[in-house]
Amino acid sequence: MTEHMTTRPQTPPKKTRHRRTRAELDALRTLARAAALDGESLASLRARLQIPEATLTRWARLDGYRQIDIRAREETDAAARGEGADAIEAIRQQADELWRMCEEMQDRPTTGARRQVDLARARALALAEAGHLDAAEEEIAAVRRLARILSFSRAGTGEMEKFQNQAAIIVRQKGLERAMAYARQIKEEAEAEAAARKVAGLPPLPPPEPDPDSAAWSKADTDAFYEHLREKDRTRDYWAELVELRRQEREEGVGGAR
């Protein structure tokens, strides 16, 4: 008996559709949310992760990463940052004012570098006490390198700080001596002029008239003037001033010898 073979094409077997497990769906949902919050569009997520549109739309609505949700959250965060920035700036200003008062009471020279670190420390402490930890860390980071250099420079005996204090004493003493010498010079010139007028038979000069501009100063102007003097004194580099004084004294000594 002859066996006949059929040439009719056979129907391929049906592919079984893989149904994702609950764990896989939860993982996809978490991954989609993180990517959407990082800026990836829903269309890109659908194509990349092979998520049905209806499923992804429902996840976006429930998890709050639709475009309308993201924009609303960004606006809320921006408003909160604005209010927080105002509060942080107010705390910084209060810390600066408090530190300036401490400097006035200490009555010691403060270099620009050291004062910058001290101010940052005062601000960081005030901000941390108020709960603004990120802003406090920013203050620390801004002067970390400078603080490290100053710490290395002042390690051990702190001789440089002693030199700074001694330089301040010498410079202030020299300034007082110059002021007294200038006052003596003015007095001697006035006495010499008065004697010359007396010999010439001339009447003495009338006292100088008061400066009208000085009388027009208000209390605010006077306070601002003295605040300017205090600020200038706080930021003075006494060491550099002492070096310059020594140079001038050497030049005057050479000129006098000639």
Side-chain angles (χ1 to χ4, degrees), residues 151-185:
S151 177
F152 172 79
S153 302
R154 292 200 302 265
T157 60
E159 290 297 326
M160 288 304 298
E161 186 170 355
K162 294 180 182 178
F163 292 156
Q164 285 281 356
N165 293 335
Q166 187 64 27
I169 294 173
I170 296 173
V171 169
R172 288 172 176 173
Q173 182 178 356
K174 292 289 185 181
L176 182 59
E177 291 175 358
R178 288 197 304 270
M180 293 177 64
Y182 183 65
R184 284 196 302 269
Q185 179 184 350

Side-chain angles (χ1 to χ4, degrees), residues 16-37:
T16 304
R17 184 177 179 182
H18 173 70
R19 296 182 63 84
R20 290 167 171 163
T21 64
R22 171 58 60 185
E24 290 175 332
L25 289 174
D26 290 343
L28 275 178
R29 182 172 180 175
T30 302
L31 183 62
R33 183 179 185 277
L37 294 178

